[in-house]
Amino acid sequence: MSSENLPQSTEQQLRKPRVAVVFGGRSSEHGISVVTAGAVLNAIDRTKYDVLPIGITTDGRWALTADEPERMAITDRKMPDVAQLAESDEGGVVLSVDPGSREVVYSEPGSVPKALGEVDVVFPVLHGPYGEDGTLQGLLELSGVPYVGAGVLASAVGQDKEYMKRVFTSFGLPVGPYVVVRPREWDNDPQGARKRITDFAGEHGWPLFVKPARAGSSIGITKVDDASGLDEAIEEARRHDPKFLVESLLRGREIECGVLEFEDGPRASVPAEIPPVTSHDFYDFEAKYIDAASGIVPAPLTDEETAEVQRLAVEAFEAASCEGLVRADFFLTEDGGFVINEINTLPGFTPISMYPRMWQESGVSYQQLVDRLIQAALDRPTGLR
């Protein structure tokens, strides 16, 4: 019997739903995940929900943390860390994989494990591998615990830029030129891989962007102006992922659009534009999060352009079988057409991030956005759907 069909006790029916906010993680986006968690914890309506913050350290330990959002902010240009927030250096949180129980247990070496009660829904705010890529989603499916956002397949597709582009192409969505180099190819024939890249540059021109295939927040991306910078850019990308992509420069405007699932299906927000960042070579991690470069919301587009990018954003959401939320990123090229760059199944989610700002401009406040996502997760069963 699946957990969603189990009878609820009177106590379960009377108590507030319990939300576990899971954050941090093992990826290079650990710090921004902590920042996002602070914003979500601040926004959750405590009159409607009980909250359990769970941080995952960079080495993968699930730690019980204090419910103190004010400690989860960027300070003096430094990112916060779960290790600084954990209540213990050794204690660990364990989620049952028995779908008949949603009990969470906390244990420390030499102590009797302590039951923390049941969790009704998980709000994962993990970015990158080991959280946004379907791994955590698979664990929650095994546990029978509802969760916010995309399922296993959509999360994996949304994390891997190669397969994301393959899915979009199969659905007829416009995708820019790219080449993929997998780990075995680079290990066995780096010279051949370099030639493929330089041949690609010969066809599409310099500069190129070298990026990890399965990372986000613009981490590990390098703009390469000529062949002399290629090896250093590849090394930087492979620090984050042994598989990497090389993309041609698309000349045009950077346009983003949010998608949110409503009762009648996914809807698109007003789009935003990311203007050129003069202090940075492109819209990289520091521009986004440290220097807080700001986008334009709503984007100055014609009614026809707005309708088209909203249509494409919803199509991308559906093509990847997404749930909950997505931010879709596009280029509006010089010939007037949209090209999809990527989707994020768990986009930047601080109040100043583009996804919440687009929905704020569309009439959905940050607090309402958080509440809608939690309610949608509570209403959606785990398992095949």
Side-chain angles (χ1 to χ4, degrees):
M1 178 184 291
S2 64
S3 61
E4 63 267 19
N5 295 322
L6 291 172
Q8 290 188 316
S9 66
T10 302
E11 180 185 355
Q12 285 176 313
Q13 293 170 353
L14 292 177
R15 67 174 174 81
K16 294 182 288 188
R18 198 166 195 217
V19 182
V21 179
V22 180
F23 61 96
R26 293 162 56 190
S27 84
S28 50
E29 297 175 79
H30 178 98
I32 196 59
S33 172
V34 179
V35 175
T36 299
V40 170
L41 288 168
N42 259 329
I44 292 178
D45 185 349
R46 304 308 177 95
T47 67
K48 292 179 64 174
Y49 308 105
D50 286 326
V51 178
L52 177 67
I54 300 173
I56 301 178
T57 63
T58 53
D59 61 2
R61 178 172 64 94
W62 287 46
L64 190 64
T65 68
D67 187 2
E68 298 176 359
E70 64 278 3
R71 296 174 58 198
M72 301 180 184
I74 300 171
T75 306
D76 297 328
R77 300 177 68 88
K78 293 181 179 178
M79 288 288 175
D81 190 284
V82 166
Q84 301 165 350
L85 302 165
E87 294 192 348
S88 164
D89 292 335
E90 295 182 304
V93 175
V94 178
L95 178 67
S96 171
V97 293
D98 176 4
S101 169
R102 296 175 179 173
E103 189 82 16
V104 175
V105 174
Y106 178 74
S107 62
E108 292 190 57
S111 300
V112 177
K114 178 174 64 175
L116 299 178
E118 291 194 343
V119 166
D120 297 289
V121 62
V122 169
F123 198 131
V125 292
L126 296 148
H127 301 296
Y130 314 110
E132 190 182 353
D133 59 349
T135 50
L136 176 65
Q137 290 75 14
L139 172 64
L140 296 173
E141 292 285 354
L142 287 173
S143 302
V145 179
Y147 54 93
V148 168
V152 176
L153 174 65
S155 297
V157 168
Q159 187 65 43
D160 192 312
K161 294 177 176 63
E162 175 192 1
Y163 288 99
M164 181 197 307
K165 291 176 187 290
R166 290 182 182 275
V167 168
F168 290 158
T169 300
S170 72
F171 277 83
L173 289 161
V175 173
Y178 69 99
V179 63
V180 179
V181 179
R182 295 192 177 95
R184 189 177 294 116
E185 179 185 4
W186 183 256
D187 292 339
N188 295 339
D189 187 14
Q191 185 175 346
R194 283 192 198 92
K195 185 177 186 306
R196 279 211 302 130
I197 295 168
T198 54
D199 287 348
F200 178 80
E203 181 180 356
H204 298 286
W206 300 91
L208 301 176
F209 288 90
V210 180
K211 58 177 65 175
R214 294 162 292 193
S217 296
S218 298
I219 289 176
I221 299 178
T222 306
K223 182 182 178 184
V224 182
D225 293 316
D226 55 50
S228 65
L230 194 55
D231 281 0
E232 185 178 352
I234 291 170
E235 183 179 342
E236 172 60 17
R238 283 173 54 82
R239 278 201 320 114
H240 303 278
D241 189 345
K243 181 167 80 167
F244 64 93
L245 275 80
V246 179
E247 297 176 345
S248 64
L249 173 67
L250 291 175
R251 300 187 186 279
R253 299 161 61 188
E254 291 190 51
I255 305 296
E256 298 183 348
C257 190
V259 180
L260 179 62
E261 195 168 11
F262 287 78
E263 290 78 7
D264 59 350
R267 301 181 200 168
S269 69
V270 300
E273 180 169 5
I274 308 300
V277 184
T278 55
S279 59
H280 295 261
D281 211 16
F282 61 98
Y283 193 47
D284 61 8
F285 179 85
E286 285 210 355
K288 288 180 180 178
Y289 297 112
I290 304 299
D291 296 331
S294 184
I296 302 169
V297 188
L301 300 171
T302 67
D303 291 345
E304 292 76 12
E305 289 169 337
T306 296
E308 177 64 2
V309 76
Q310 289 175 326
R311 180 186 71 82
L312 290 170
V314 170
E315 282 196 14
F317 183 97
E318 297 282 34
S321 298
C322 294
E323 295 168 298
L325 73 164
V326 149
R327 193 193 73 228
D329 300 345
F330 297 86
F331 291 101
L332 176 55
T333 60
E334 293 175 341
D335 65 5
F338 284 100
V339 174
I340 187 165
N341 183 36
E342 64 180 37
I343 58 170
N344 279 268
T345 56
L346 189 63
F349 207 80
T350 69
I352 65 167
S353 297
M354 296 308 297
Y355 183 86
R357 285 184 60 201
M358 288 186 286
W359 278 108
Q360 176 80 43
E361 190 68 26
S362 304
V364 181
S365 71
Y366 190 84
Q367 290 74 18
Q368 290 170 328
L369 190 56
V370 168
D371 187 72
R372 173 166 286 280
L373 289 168
I374 292 172
Q375 284 299 319
L378 285 167
D379 293 340
R380 186 171 61 235
T382 55
L384 297 176
R385 52 191 184 276

